[in-house]
Amino acid sequence: MKTVIQHETYGEIVYDESAWTGKKSVSIGGAPLDKVSKKEFKMQDGTDVTVNGGFLQGASLDIKGEKIVLSPCVKWYEIVLCVLPFLFVVIWGNVPALCMIIPIVGGAIGGGISGLFSVLGLLGMKSVKPIWFKLLIGFASLAITIAVCYGIGVAILSAL
């Protein structure tokens, strides 16, 4: 995930973090910083720069004691929206009376599917700014989870 920040002292700061490997890169004023360790970088003039956090928990740069926020931390409503698909599948999939109404797959298969769409929903919500779009992504994640678990549940019942 790539974040571009305009800073009054350092100019354009570009922070890039791989969602899959966690590999980070930073460039300040168009010049890429030299990587010293996983979290530490050096500017062209030798100044040490430390990256704290990450994309999901919120990232910040520490340059000469100054903290520059690159990405905000996860908000409470983003966490709630990401937990909803998992909770829905766990509760609905384990109550036989509810599965008679709408059969969805639960257990390990449903948990894996809902966990996958929860994480994808969180990554999607962190990538956009407007709150209405974050809500749309969260509810879309819930709807897709229910649809996939319903499809698998119906397929299993028809195979029996």
Side-chain angles (χ1 to χ4, degrees):
M1 305 296 169
K2 189 174 188 179
T3 305
V4 179
I5 302 292
Q6 288 294 332
H7 192 267
E8 61 274 357
T9 306
Y10 300 107
E12 183 180 72
I13 299 173
V14 179
Y15 171 72
D16 193 16
E17 180 180 353
S18 171
W20 305 111
T21 63
K23 184 178 178 183
K24 301 170 184 174
S25 65
V26 181
S27 68
I28 297 177
L33 303 186
D34 298 324
K35 192 169 194 170
V36 176
S37 69
K38 186 175 181 181
K39 294 171 55 175
E40 296 182 10
F41 296 85
K42 271 205 186 297
M43 293 175 67
Q44 302 298 335
D45 62 359
T47 306
D48 290 327
V49 177
T50 305
V51 177
N52 297 314
F55 181 71
L56 288 180
Q57 65 264 41
S60 65
L61 281 182
D62 187 15
I63 305 174
K64 299 179 187 174
E66 180 182 359
K67 182 179 177 183
I68 302 169
V69 176
L70 298 173
S71 68
C73 61
V74 180
K75 305 285 190 273
W76 67 270
Y77 56 87
E78 294 172 339
I79 294 171
V80 168
L81 287 171
C82 288
V83 171
L84 278 179
F86 185 75
L87 284 177
F88 182 85
V89 170
V90 166
I91 293 169
W92 196 282
N94 287 315
V95 178
L98 292 175
C99 284
M100 295 297 272
I101 300 169
I102 299 175
I104 67 168
V105 67
I109 296 170
I113 291 168
S114 62
L116 172 71
F117 284 110
S118 292
V119 170
L120 291 176
L122 180 62
L123 289 174
M125 284 187 276
K126 284 288 293 177
S127 299
V128 297
K129 292 256 188 226
I131 293 175
W132 67 268
F133 202 43
K134 291 177 187 258
L135 293 172
L136 181 68
I137 290 171
F139 288 121
S141 173
L142 176 64
I144 292 169
T145 300
I146 293 170
V148 170
C149 288
Y150 170 74
I152 293 173
V154 168
I156 290 173
L157 286 177
S158 67
L160 294 177

PDB file of all heavy atoms in Angstrom, residues 71-110:
ATOM      1  N   SER A  71       0.030   6.852   7.983  1.00  0.00           N
ATOM      2  CA  SER A  71      -1.306   6.280   7.834  1.00  0.00           C
ATOM      3  C   SER A  71      -1.923   6.157   9.217  1.00  0.00           C
ATOM      4  O   SER A  71      -1.254   5.756  10.163  1.00  0.00           O
ATOM      5  CB  SER A  71      -1.265   4.927   7.125  1.00  0.00           C
ATOM      6  OG  SER A  71      -0.635   3.957   7.927  1.00  0.00           O
ATOM      7  N   PRO A  72      -3.205   6.514   9.347  1.00  0.00           N
ATOM      8  CA  PRO A  72      -3.846   6.454  10.656  1.00  0.00           C
ATOM      9  C   PRO A  72      -4.089   5.011  11.080  1.00  0.00           C
ATOM     10  O   PRO A  72      -4.108   4.093  10.260  1.00  0.00           O
ATOM     11  CB  PRO A  72      -5.163   7.192  10.441  1.00  0.00           C
ATOM     12  CG  PRO A  72      -5.433   7.060   8.983  1.00  0.00           C
ATOM     13  CD  PRO A  72      -4.091   7.018   8.313  1.00  0.00           C
ATOM     14  N   CYS A  73      -4.297   4.812  12.372  1.00  0.00           N
ATOM     15  CA  CYS A  73      -4.578   3.466  12.873  1.00  0.00           C
ATOM     16  C   CYS A  73      -6.007   3.076  12.508  1.00  0.00           C
ATOM     17  O   CYS A  73      -6.813   3.893  12.091  1.00  0.00           O
ATOM     18  CB  CYS A  73      -4.353   3.390  14.375  1.00  0.00           C
ATOM     19  SG  CYS A  73      -5.395   4.496  15.322  1.00  0.00           S
ATOM     20  N   VAL A  74      -6.306   1.802  12.670  1.00  0.00           N
ATOM     21  CA  VAL A  74      -7.628   1.272  12.338  1.00  0.00           C
ATOM     22  C   VAL A  74      -8.657   1.876  13.287  1.00  0.00           C
ATOM     23  O   VAL A  74      -8.465   1.908  14.500  1.00  0.00           O
ATOM     24  CB  VAL A  74      -7.631  -0.271  12.449  1.00  0.00           C
ATOM     25  CG1 VAL A  74      -8.999  -0.825  12.116  1.00  0.00           C
ATOM     26  CG2 VAL A  74      -6.587  -0.871  11.537  1.00  0.00           C
ATOM     27  N   LYS A  75      -9.758   2.345  12.738  1.00  0.00           N
ATOM     28  CA  LYS A  75     -10.841   2.929  13.541  1.00  0.00           C
ATOM     29  C   LYS A  75     -11.733   1.831  14.104  1.00  0.00           C
ATOM     30  O   LYS A  75     -11.770   0.716  13.588  1.00  0.00           O
ATOM     31  CB  LYS A  75     -11.693   3.865  12.672  1.00  0.00           C
ATOM     32  CG  LYS A  75     -10.907   4.947  11.964  1.00  0.00           C
ATOM     33  CD  LYS A  75     -10.492   6.023  12.918  1.00  0.00           C
ATOM     34  CE  LYS A  75      -9.922   7.218  12.227  1.00  0.00           C
ATOM     35  NZ  LYS A  75      -8.537   7.195  11.931  1.00  0.00           N
ATOM     36  N   TRP A  76     -12.496   2.141  15.139  1.00  0.00           N
ATOM     37  CA  TRP A  76     -13.340   1.153  15.801  1.00  0.00           C
ATOM     38  C   TRP A  76     -14.400   0.589  14.866  1.00  0.00           C
ATOM     39  O   TRP A  76     -14.707  -0.587  14.894  1.00  0.00           O
ATOM     40  CB  TRP A  76     -13.984   1.747  17.055  1.00  0.00           C
ATOM     41  CG  TRP A  76     -14.984   2.828  16.767  1.00  0.00           C
ATOM     42  CD1 TRP A  76     -14.750   4.170  16.666  1.00  0.00           C
ATOM     43  CD2 TRP A  76     -16.379   2.648  16.507  1.00  0.00           C
ATOM     44  NE1 TRP A  76     -15.905   4.840  16.361  1.00  0.00           N
ATOM     45  CE2 TRP A  76     -16.933   3.925  16.269  1.00  0.00           C
ATOM     46  CE3 TRP A  76     -17.222   1.549  16.462  1.00  0.00           C
ATOM     47  CZ2 TRP A  76     -18.267   4.125  15.976  1.00  0.00           C
ATOM     48  CZ3 TRP A  76     -18.564   1.755  16.179  1.00  0.00           C
ATOM     49  CH2 TRP A  76     -19.070   3.030  15.948  1.00  0.00           C
ATOM     50  N   TYR A  77     -14.972   1.443  14.017  1.00  0.00           N
ATOM     51  CA  TYR A  77     -16.025   0.971  13.124  1.00  0.00           C
ATOM     52  C   TYR A  77     -15.469   0.067  12.029  1.00  0.00           C
ATOM     53  O   TYR A  77     -16.178  -0.813  11.522  1.00  0.00           O
ATOM     54  CB  TYR A  77     -16.832   2.129  12.533  1.00  0.00           C
ATOM     55  CG  TYR A  77     -16.016   3.169  11.806  1.00  0.00           C
ATOM     56  CD1 TYR A  77     -15.701   3.023  10.469  1.00  0.00           C
ATOM     57  CD2 TYR A  77     -15.570   4.307  12.469  1.00  0.00           C
ATOM     58  CE1 TYR A  77     -14.960   3.974   9.800  1.00  0.00           C
ATOM     59  CE2 TYR A  77     -14.836   5.274  11.811  1.00  0.00           C
ATOM     60  CZ  TYR A  77     -14.529   5.100  10.481  1.00  0.00           C
ATOM     61  OH  TYR A  77     -13.796   6.038   9.829  1.00  0.00           O
ATOM     62  N   GLU A  78     -14.206   0.253  11.646  1.00  0.00           N
ATOM     63  CA  GLU A  78     -13.583  -0.660  10.680  1.00  0.00           C
ATOM     64  C   GLU A  78     -13.410  -2.046  11.291  1.00  0.00           C
ATOM     65  O   GLU A  78     -13.648  -3.059  10.621  1.00  0.00           O
ATOM     66  CB  GLU A  78     -12.234  -0.104  10.220  1.00  0.00           C
ATOM     67  CG  GLU A  78     -12.333   1.173   9.430  1.00  0.00           C
ATOM     68  CD  GLU A  78     -10.992   1.818   9.147  1.00  0.00           C
ATOM     69  OE1 GLU A  78     -10.008   1.539   9.845  1.00  0.00           O
ATOM     70  OE2 GLU A  78     -10.941   2.617   8.195  1.00  0.00           O
ATOM     71  N   ILE A  79     -13.027  -2.093  12.555  1.00  0.00           N
ATOM     72  CA  ILE A  79     -12.876  -3.376  13.243  1.00  0.00           C
ATOM     73  C   ILE A  79     -14.225  -4.070  13.367  1.00  0.00           C
ATOM     74  O   ILE A  79     -14.346  -5.268  13.097  1.00  0.00           O
ATOM     75  CB  ILE A  79     -12.224  -3.175  14.623  1.00  0.00           C
ATOM     76  CG1 ILE A  79     -10.796  -2.681  14.464  1.00  0.00           C
ATOM     77  CG2 ILE A  79     -12.262  -4.467  15.433  1.00  0.00           C
ATOM     78  CD1 ILE A  79     -10.134  -2.241  15.742  1.00  0.00           C
ATOM     79  N   VAL A  80     -15.265  -3.320  13.755  1.00  0.00           N
ATOM     80  CA  VAL A  80     -16.605  -3.903  13.895  1.00  0.00           C
ATOM     81  C   VAL A  80     -17.086  -4.455  12.557  1.00  0.00           C
ATOM     82  O   VAL A  80     -17.610  -5.577  12.483  1.00  0.00           O
ATOM     83  CB  VAL A  80     -17.597  -2.859  14.456  1.00  0.00           C
ATOM     84  CG1 VAL A  80     -19.027  -3.337  14.339  1.00  0.00           C
ATOM     85  CG2 VAL A  80     -17.257  -2.528  15.895  1.00  0.00           C
ATOM     86  N   LEU A  81     -16.908  -3.684  11.481  1.00  0.00           N
ATOM     87  CA  LEU A  81     -17.349  -4.142  10.165  1.00  0.00           C
ATOM     88  C   LEU A  81     -16.585  -5.378   9.694  1.00  0.00           C
ATOM     89  O   LEU A  81     -17.128  -6.205   8.957  1.00  0.00           O
ATOM     90  CB  LEU A  81     -17.208  -3.021   9.131  1.00  0.00           C
ATOM     91  CG  LEU A  81     -18.222  -1.893   9.234  1.00  0.00           C
ATOM     92  CD1 LEU A  81     -17.843  -0.753   8.312  1.00  0.00           C
ATOM     93  CD2 LEU A  81     -19.610  -2.401   8.910  1.00  0.00           C
ATOM     94  N   CYS A  82     -15.346  -5.512  10.125  1.00  0.00           N
ATOM     95  CA  CYS A  82     -14.553  -6.674   9.717  1.00  0.00           C
ATOM     96  C   CYS A  82     -14.860  -7.907  10.554  1.00  0.00           C
ATOM     97  O   CYS A  82     -14.655  -9.027  10.094  1.00  0.00           O
ATOM     98  CB  CYS A  82     -13.070  -6.352   9.790  1.00  0.00           C
ATOM     99  SG  CYS A  82     -12.587  -5.248   8.487  1.00  0.00           S
ATOM    100  N   VAL A  83     -15.333  -7.726  11.755  1.00  0.00           N
ATOM    101  CA  VAL A  83     -15.667  -8.860  12.611  1.00  0.00           C
ATOM    102  C   VAL A  83     -17.069  -9.391  12.288  1.00  0.00           C
ATOM    103  O   VAL A  83     -17.357 -10.571  12.518  1.00  0.00           O
ATOM    104  CB  VAL A  83     -15.543  -8.444  14.094  1.00  0.00           C
ATOM    105  CG1 VAL A  83     -16.072  -9.501  15.024  1.00  0.00           C
ATOM    106  CG2 VAL A  83     -14.088  -8.145  14.424  1.00  0.00           C
ATOM    107  N   LEU A  84     -17.940  -8.545  11.727  1.00  0.00           N
ATOM    108  CA  LEU A  84     -19.312  -8.951  11.425  1.00  0.00           C
ATOM    109  C   LEU A  84     -19.425 -10.211  10.562  1.00  0.00           C
ATOM    110  O   LEU A  84     -20.210 -11.100  10.899  1.00  0.00           O
ATOM    111  CB  LEU A  84     -20.072  -7.804  10.770  1.00  0.00           C
ATOM    112  CG  LEU A  84     -20.657  -6.759  11.706  1.00  0.00           C
ATOM    113  CD1 LEU A  84     -21.355  -5.673  10.900  1.00  0.00           C
ATOM    114  CD2 LEU A  84     -21.603  -7.360  12.705  1.00  0.00           C
ATOM    115  N   PRO A  85     -18.696 -10.328   9.445  1.00  0.00           N
ATOM    116  CA  PRO A  85     -18.841 -11.555   8.647  1.00  0.00           C
ATOM    117  C   PRO A  85     -18.478 -12.814   9.434  1.00  0.00           C
ATOM    118  O   PRO A  85     -19.173 -13.825   9.362  1.00  0.00           O
ATOM    119  CB  PRO A  85     -17.872 -11.353   7.479  1.00  0.00           C
ATOM    120  CG  PRO A  85     -17.687  -9.901   7.379  1.00  0.00           C
ATOM    121  CD  PRO A  85     -17.830  -9.366   8.768  1.00  0.00           C
ATOM    122  N   PHE A  86     -17.413 -12.743  10.206  1.00  0.00           N
ATOM    123  CA  PHE A  86     -16.983 -13.900  10.985  1.00  0.00           C
ATOM    124  C   PHE A  86     -18.022 -14.252  12.047  1.00  0.00           C
ATOM    125  O   PHE A  86     -18.399 -15.416  12.195  1.00  0.00           O
ATOM    126  CB  PHE A  86     -15.621 -13.628  11.628  1.00  0.00           C
ATOM    127  CG  PHE A  86     -15.065 -14.804  12.350  1.00  0.00           C
ATOM    128  CD1 PHE A  86     -14.526 -15.874  11.660  1.00  0.00           C
ATOM    129  CD2 PHE A  86     -15.082 -14.857  13.734  1.00  0.00           C
ATOM    130  CE1 PHE A  86     -14.019 -16.969  12.320  1.00  0.00           C
ATOM    131  CE2 PHE A  86     -14.585 -15.943  14.412  1.00  0.00           C
ATOM    132  CZ  PHE A  86     -14.046 -17.008  13.697  1.00  0.00           C
ATOM    133  N   LEU A  87     -18.508 -13.252  12.772  1.00  0.00           N
ATOM    134  CA  LEU A  87     -19.517 -13.506  13.798  1.00  0.00           C
ATOM    135  C   LEU A  87     -20.810 -14.061  13.202  1.00  0.00           C
ATOM    136  O   LEU A  87     -21.423 -14.965  13.771  1.00  0.00           O
ATOM    137  CB  LEU A  87     -19.828 -12.231  14.578  1.00  0.00           C
ATOM    138  CG  LEU A  87     -18.806 -11.795  15.614  1.00  0.00           C
ATOM    139  CD1 LEU A  87     -19.220 -10.483  16.249  1.00  0.00           C
ATOM    140  CD2 LEU A  87     -18.616 -12.861  16.665  1.00  0.00           C
ATOM    141  N   PHE A  88     -21.214 -13.511  12.066  1.00  0.00           N
ATOM    142  CA  PHE A  88     -22.441 -13.985  11.429  1.00  0.00           C
ATOM    143  C   PHE A  88     -22.338 -15.462  11.075  1.00  0.00           C
ATOM    144  O   PHE A  88     -23.232 -16.250  11.371  1.00  0.00           O
ATOM    145  CB  PHE A  88     -22.750 -13.165  10.170  1.00  0.00           C
ATOM    146  CG  PHE A  88     -24.021 -13.579   9.498  1.00  0.00           C
ATOM    147  CD1 PHE A  88     -25.228 -13.065   9.918  1.00  0.00           C
ATOM    148  CD2 PHE A  88     -24.016 -14.501   8.458  1.00  0.00           C
ATOM    149  CE1 PHE A  88     -26.412 -13.441   9.318  1.00  0.00           C
ATOM    150  CE2 PHE A  88     -25.190 -14.894   7.851  1.00  0.00           C
ATOM    151  CZ  PHE A  88     -26.397 -14.368   8.279  1.00  0.00           C
ATOM    152  N   VAL A  89     -21.232 -15.855  10.449  1.00  0.00           N
ATOM    153  CA  VAL A  89     -21.063 -17.247  10.040  1.00  0.00           C
ATOM    154  C   VAL A  89     -20.945 -18.164  11.248  1.00  0.00           C
ATOM    155  O   VAL A  89     -21.529 -19.255  11.275  1.00  0.00           O
ATOM    156  CB  VAL A  89     -19.844 -17.390   9.104  1.00  0.00           C
ATOM    157  CG1 VAL A  89     -19.490 -18.844   8.868  1.00  0.00           C
ATOM    158  CG2 VAL A  89     -20.134 -16.707   7.780  1.00  0.00           C
ATOM    159  N   VAL A  90     -20.217 -17.736  12.272  1.00  0.00           N
ATOM    160  CA  VAL A  90     -20.059 -18.567  13.467  1.00  0.00           C
ATOM    161  C   VAL A  90     -21.404 -18.787  14.152  1.00  0.00           C
ATOM    162  O   VAL A  90     -21.752 -19.909  14.528  1.00  0.00           O
ATOM    163  CB  VAL A  90     -19.039 -17.933  14.445  1.00  0.00           C
ATOM    164  CG1 VAL A  90     -19.114 -18.574  15.807  1.00  0.00           C
ATOM    165  CG2 VAL A  90     -17.638 -18.058  13.882  1.00  0.00           C
ATOM    166  N   ILE A  91     -22.194 -17.732  14.299  1.00  0.00           N
ATOM    167  CA  ILE A  91     -23.478 -17.859  14.997  1.00  0.00           C
ATOM    168  C   ILE A  91     -24.508 -18.581  14.115  1.00  0.00           C
ATOM    169  O   ILE A  91     -25.117 -19.556  14.539  1.00  0.00           O
ATOM    170  CB  ILE A  91     -23.994 -16.471  15.433  1.00  0.00           C
ATOM    171  CG1 ILE A  91     -23.068 -15.903  16.512  1.00  0.00           C
ATOM    172  CG2 ILE A  91     -25.421 -16.566  15.941  1.00  0.00           C
ATOM    173  CD1 ILE A  91     -23.317 -14.454  16.843  1.00  0.00           C
ATOM    174  N   TRP A  92     -24.684 -18.116  12.898  1.00  0.00           N
ATOM    175  CA  TRP A  92     -25.711 -18.689  12.027  1.00  0.00           C
ATOM    176  C   TRP A  92     -25.387 -20.144  11.671  1.00  0.00           C
ATOM    177  O   TRP A  92     -26.270 -20.997  11.651  1.00  0.00           O
ATOM    178  CB  TRP A  92     -25.837 -17.865  10.748  1.00  0.00           C
ATOM    179  CG  TRP A  92     -27.092 -18.128   9.983  1.00  0.00           C
ATOM    180  CD1 TRP A  92     -27.351 -19.201   9.180  1.00  0.00           C
ATOM    181  CD2 TRP A  92     -28.257 -17.330   9.951  1.00  0.00           C
ATOM    182  NE1 TRP A  92     -28.593 -19.107   8.637  1.00  0.00           N
ATOM    183  CE2 TRP A  92     -29.184 -17.958   9.092  1.00  0.00           C
ATOM    184  CE3 TRP A  92     -28.612 -16.120  10.559  1.00  0.00           C
ATOM    185  CZ2 TRP A  92     -30.433 -17.428   8.822  1.00  0.00           C
ATOM    186  CZ3 TRP A  92     -29.849 -15.592  10.282  1.00  0.00           C
ATOM    187  CH2 TRP A  92     -30.756 -16.239   9.429  1.00  0.00           C
ATOM    188  N   GLY A  93     -24.130 -20.424  11.403  1.00  0.00           N
ATOM    189  CA  GLY A  93     -23.750 -21.769  10.996  1.00  0.00           C
ATOM    190  C   GLY A  93     -23.838 -22.803  12.104  1.00  0.00           C
ATOM    191  O   GLY A  93     -23.839 -24.004  11.836  1.00  0.00           O
ATOM    192  N   ASN A  94     -23.903 -22.387  13.357  1.00  0.00           N
ATOM    193  CA  ASN A  94     -23.968 -23.321  14.475  1.00  0.00           C
ATOM    194  C   ASN A  94     -25.346 -23.443  15.101  1.00  0.00           C
ATOM    195  O   ASN A  94     -25.502 -24.139  16.100  1.00  0.00           O
ATOM    196  CB  ASN A  94     -22.950 -22.917  15.556  1.00  0.00           C
ATOM    197  CG  ASN A  94     -21.546 -23.221  15.110  1.00  0.00           C
ATOM    198  OD1 ASN A  94     -21.272 -24.294  14.590  1.00  0.00           O
ATOM    199  ND2 ASN A  94     -20.660 -22.259  15.293  1.00  0.00           N
ATOM    200  N   VAL A  95     -26.338 -22.768  14.544  1.00  0.00           N
ATOM    201  CA  VAL A  95     -27.712 -22.879  15.046  1.00  0.00           C
ATOM    202  C   VAL A  95     -28.534 -23.599  13.979  1.00  0.00           C
ATOM    203  O   VAL A  95     -28.829 -23.028  12.920  1.00  0.00           O
ATOM    204  CB  VAL A  95     -28.299 -21.483  15.357  1.00  0.00           C
ATOM    205  CG1 VAL A  95     -29.733 -21.601  15.828  1.00  0.00           C
ATOM    206  CG2 VAL A  95     -27.444 -20.763  16.390  1.00  0.00           C
ATOM    207  N   PRO A  96     -28.907 -24.875  14.237  1.00  0.00           N
ATOM    208  CA  PRO A  96     -29.639 -25.652  13.224  1.00  0.00           C
ATOM    209  C   PRO A  96     -30.945 -25.004  12.781  1.00  0.00           C
ATOM    210  O   PRO A  96     -31.317 -25.097  11.604  1.00  0.00           O
ATOM    211  CB  PRO A  96     -29.900 -26.990  13.913  1.00  0.00           C
ATOM    212  CG  PRO A  96     -28.836 -27.090  14.960  1.00  0.00           C
ATOM    213  CD  PRO A  96     -28.574 -25.688  15.401  1.00  0.00           C
ATOM    214  N   ALA A  97     -31.654 -24.339  13.685  1.00  0.00           N
ATOM    215  CA  ALA A  97     -32.923 -23.701  13.315  1.00  0.00           C
ATOM    216  C   ALA A  97     -32.690 -22.584  12.294  1.00  0.00           C
ATOM    217  O   ALA A  97     -33.497 -22.391  11.380  1.00  0.00           O
ATOM    218  CB  ALA A  97     -33.610 -23.150  14.559  1.00  0.00           C
ATOM    219  N   LEU A  98     -31.610 -21.848  12.440  1.00  0.00           N
ATOM    220  CA  LEU A  98     -31.308 -20.788  11.481  1.00  0.00           C
ATOM    221  C   LEU A  98     -30.863 -21.369  10.140  1.00  0.00           C
ATOM    222  O   LEU A  98     -31.177 -20.826   9.084  1.00  0.00           O
ATOM    223  CB  LEU A  98     -30.225 -19.859  12.050  1.00  0.00           C
ATOM    224  CG  LEU A  98     -30.622 -19.010  13.250  1.00  0.00           C
ATOM    225  CD1 LEU A  98     -29.425 -18.232  13.769  1.00  0.00           C
ATOM    226  CD2 LEU A  98     -31.755 -18.068  12.895  1.00  0.00           C
ATOM    227  N   CYS A  99     -30.125 -22.471  10.188  1.00  0.00           N
ATOM    228  CA  CYS A  99     -29.667 -23.107   8.945  1.00  0.00           C
ATOM    229  C   CYS A  99     -30.825 -23.735   8.171  1.00  0.00           C
ATOM    230  O   CYS A  99     -30.684 -24.002   6.978  1.00  0.00           O
ATOM    231  CB  CYS A  99     -28.595 -24.150   9.240  1.00  0.00           C
ATOM    232  SG  CYS A  99     -27.004 -23.405   9.614  1.00  0.00           S
ATOM    233  N   MET A 100     -31.943 -23.989   8.844  1.00  0.00           N
ATOM    234  CA  MET A 100     -33.129 -24.468   8.132  1.00  0.00           C
ATOM    235  C   MET A 100     -33.735 -23.330   7.296  1.00  0.00           C
ATOM    236  O   MET A 100     -34.326 -23.579   6.251  1.00  0.00           O
ATOM    237  CB  MET A 100     -34.175 -24.991   9.123  1.00  0.00           C
ATOM    238  CG  MET A 100     -33.724 -26.207   9.897  1.00  0.00           C
ATOM    239  SD  MET A 100     -33.427 -27.613   8.862  1.00  0.00           S
ATOM    240  CE  MET A 100     -35.042 -28.310   8.828  1.00  0.00           C
ATOM    241  N   ILE A 101     -33.568 -22.098   7.753  1.00  0.00           N
ATOM    242  CA  ILE A 101     -34.091 -20.931   7.023  1.00  0.00           C
ATOM    243  C   ILE A 101     -33.175 -20.625   5.839  1.00  0.00           C
ATOM    244  O   ILE A 101     -33.610 -20.581   4.697  1.00  0.00           O
ATOM    245  CB  ILE A 101     -34.198 -19.709   7.960  1.00  0.00           C
ATOM    246  CG1 ILE A 101     -35.137 -20.009   9.117  1.00  0.00           C
ATOM    247  CG2 ILE A 101     -34.653 -18.483   7.183  1.00  0.00           C
ATOM    248  CD1 ILE A 101     -35.090 -18.969  10.216  1.00  0.00           C
ATOM    249  N   ILE A 102     -31.918 -20.351   6.142  1.00  0.00           N
ATOM    250  CA  ILE A 102     -30.905 -20.086   5.115  1.00  0.00           C
ATOM    251  C   ILE A 102     -29.710 -20.972   5.435  1.00  0.00           C
ATOM    252  O   ILE A 102     -28.984 -20.713   6.399  1.00  0.00           O
ATOM    253  CB  ILE A 102     -30.464 -18.608   5.096  1.00  0.00           C
ATOM    254  CG1 ILE A 102     -31.634 -17.693   4.795  1.00  0.00           C
ATOM    255  CG2 ILE A 102     -29.358 -18.394   4.070  1.00  0.00           C
ATOM    256  CD1 ILE A 102     -31.296 -16.216   4.880  1.00  0.00           C
ATOM    257  N   PRO A 103     -29.508 -22.024   4.635  1.00  0.00           N
ATOM    258  CA  PRO A 103     -28.390 -22.925   4.933  1.00  0.00           C
ATOM    259  C   PRO A 103     -27.057 -22.308   4.523  1.00  0.00           C
ATOM    260  O   PRO A 103     -26.840 -21.983   3.361  1.00  0.00           O
ATOM    261  CB  PRO A 103     -28.698 -24.156   4.088  1.00  0.00           C
ATOM    262  CG  PRO A 103     -29.519 -23.640   2.956  1.00  0.00           C
ATOM    263  CD  PRO A 103     -30.284 -22.471   3.494  1.00  0.00           C
ATOM    264  N   ILE A 104     -26.203 -22.100   5.501  1.00  0.00           N
ATOM    265  CA  ILE A 104     -24.851 -21.639   5.194  1.00  0.00           C
ATOM    266  C   ILE A 104     -23.880 -22.621   5.826  1.00  0.00           C
ATOM    267  O   ILE A 104     -24.191 -23.302   6.792  1.00  0.00           O
ATOM    268  CB  ILE A 104     -24.567 -20.203   5.693  1.00  0.00           C
ATOM    269  CG1 ILE A 104     -24.566 -20.127   7.218  1.00  0.00           C
ATOM    270  CG2 ILE A 104     -25.542 -19.210   5.099  1.00  0.00           C
ATOM    271  CD1 ILE A 104     -24.023 -18.829   7.733  1.00  0.00           C
ATOM    272  N   VAL A 105     -22.712 -22.696   5.246  1.00  0.00           N
ATOM    273  CA  VAL A 105     -21.685 -23.580   5.781  1.00  0.00           C
ATOM    274  C   VAL A 105     -21.006 -22.866   6.945  1.00  0.00           C
ATOM    275  O   VAL A 105     -20.753 -21.669   6.902  1.00  0.00           O
ATOM    276  CB  VAL A 105     -20.672 -23.987   4.685  1.00  0.00           C
ATOM    277  CG1 VAL A 105     -19.850 -22.816   4.217  1.00  0.00           C
ATOM    278  CG2 VAL A 105     -19.770 -25.096   5.162  1.00  0.00           C
ATOM    279  N   GLY A 106     -20.778 -23.597   7.993  1.00  0.00           N
ATOM    280  CA  GLY A 106     -20.106 -23.034   9.171  1.00  0.00           C
ATOM    281  C   GLY A 106     -18.821 -23.798   9.423  1.00  0.00           C
ATOM    282  O   GLY A 106     -18.191 -24.293   8.489  1.00  0.00           O
ATOM    283  N   GLY A 107     -18.459 -23.936  10.659  1.00  0.00           N
ATOM    284  CA  GLY A 107     -17.272 -24.700  11.032  1.00  0.00           C
ATOM    285  C   GLY A 107     -15.996 -24.129  10.455  1.00  0.00           C
ATOM    286  O   GLY A 107     -15.850 -22.918  10.293  1.00  0.00           O
ATOM    287  N   ALA A 108     -15.066 -25.015  10.126  1.00  0.00           N
ATOM    288  CA  ALA A 108     -13.761 -24.582   9.623  1.00  0.00           C
ATOM    289  C   ALA A 108     -13.863 -23.948   8.241  1.00  0.00           C
ATOM    290  O   ALA A 108     -13.176 -22.960   7.950  1.00  0.00           O
ATOM    291  CB  ALA A 108     -12.801 -25.768   9.583  1.00  0.00           C
ATOM    292  N   ILE A 109     -14.723 -24.504   7.399  1.00  0.00           N
ATOM    293  CA  ILE A 109     -14.869 -23.943   6.044  1.00  0.00           C
ATOM    294  C   ILE A 109     -15.468 -22.540   6.115  1.00  0.00           C
ATOM    295  O   ILE A 109     -14.944 -21.593   5.518  1.00  0.00           O
ATOM    296  CB  ILE A 109     -15.749 -24.864   5.167  1.00  0.00           C
ATOM    297  CG1 ILE A 109     -15.067 -26.221   4.984  1.00  0.00           C
ATOM    298  CG2 ILE A 109     -16.027 -24.217   3.815  1.00  0.00           C
ATOM    299  CD1 ILE A 109     -15.943 -27.267   4.340  1.00  0.00           C
ATOM    300  N   GLY A 110     -16.563 -22.387   6.841  1.00  0.00           N
ATOM    301  CA  GLY A 110     -17.188 -21.072   6.984  1.00  0.00           C
ATOM    302  C   GLY A 110     -16.289 -20.084   7.696  1.00  0.00           C
ATOM    303  O   GLY A 110     -16.233 -18.905   7.343  1.00  0.00           O
TER     304      GLY A 110
END
